Amino acid sequence: LGVEPTYWDSHQHVAFLPGLVRPVCAAAEDAGMRRARTPRVWVVSTDHAHHWAQARWRLARPRRFAGDGYRSLVAARLRRRFATPSWQVAPELVIGDGLSPERRWDAILGSLPVGVTEAVTHPGHVDGGLAGVSAHFVEAREDDLAALTRLGAAGVQLTRFRDLDPV
């Protein structure tokens, strides 16, 4: 296709499941990829510190809570073999009722950890063709685009995976 992959990714982080992470890492390395996403999430609350928000979020998701130790081990393995962000953030990782997308991104901006953090977004302008796909897939694209524009204006350095220094 003429496109050189710069990092490996999997839908819904399937590649981080037990039994898949080792062969996926090997295949990515064989393909020359030196960058990967991280399974670690940075949870934000509009009225509590990050660690409290993280604990509350995990306790509300027992399956996620049970797998957090495993995800930490996977993240450590990935960091030894690939350039990865330390954390990922997304609007759905903000604890707070009735928050607009703008307020969720403001909460994220106000609590970003030091270092490289992946902002999980699907930015874009919704045109007629895209709008016809599914409301679920397009509803947040304009919000995400506006958020990234605000993050850049606030002094957050926006980058791409291909710009991370490879391991």
Side-chain angles (χ1 to χ4, degrees):
L1 296 174
V3 176
E4 188 71 30
T6 58
Y7 70 98
W8 65 275
D9 185 3
S10 66
H11 186 66
Q12 300 290 324
H13 299 290
V14 169
F16 299 132
L17 292 174
L20 290 181
V21 73
R22 193 169 277 149
V24 169
C25 280
E29 283 182 319
D30 289 348
M33 289 181 244
R34 297 295 176 252
R35 297 162 189 90
R37 295 182 75 185
T38 181
R40 298 178 71 209
V41 297
W42 184 263
V43 180
V44 177
S45 173
T46 56
D47 52 344
H48 297 290
H50 160 72
H51 295 292
W52 190 92
Q54 190 95 356
R56 182 176 161 198
W57 187 80
R58 286 176 174 153
L59 289 173
R61 292 157 183 81
R63 289 185 63 205
R64 179 78 190 204
F65 182 76
D68 269 355
Y70 172 76
R71 272 183 290 284
S72 291
L73 292 173
V74 168
R77 174 179 288 176
L78 291 174
R79 281 192 303 274
R80 287 192 301 271
R81 298 167 74 177
F82 300 94
T84 67
S86 297
W87 300 95
Q88 62 174 255
V89 296
E92 57 271 12
L93 297 173
V94 177
I95 297 172
D97 295 325
L99 296 175
S100 68
E102 183 176 0
R103 288 277 324 236
R104 289 180 180 278
W105 280 110
D106 287 343
I108 290 168
L109 180 59
S111 70
L112 283 174
V114 173
V116 177
T117 300
E118 174 188 358
V120 179
T121 63
H122 302 94
H125 293 291
V126 179
D127 60 16
L130 188 57
V133 174
S134 164
H136 173 73
F137 291 115
V138 300
E139 62 190 16
R141 294 200 185 255
E142 298 272 355
D143 294 328
D144 286 353
L145 181 60
L148 289 176
T149 302
R150 283 198 335 273
L151 288 172
V156 173
Q157 181 182 348
L158 300 177
T159 190
R160 298 171 292 194
F161 272 96
R162 81 172 118 228
D163 297 328
L164 293 176
D165 290 330
V167 172

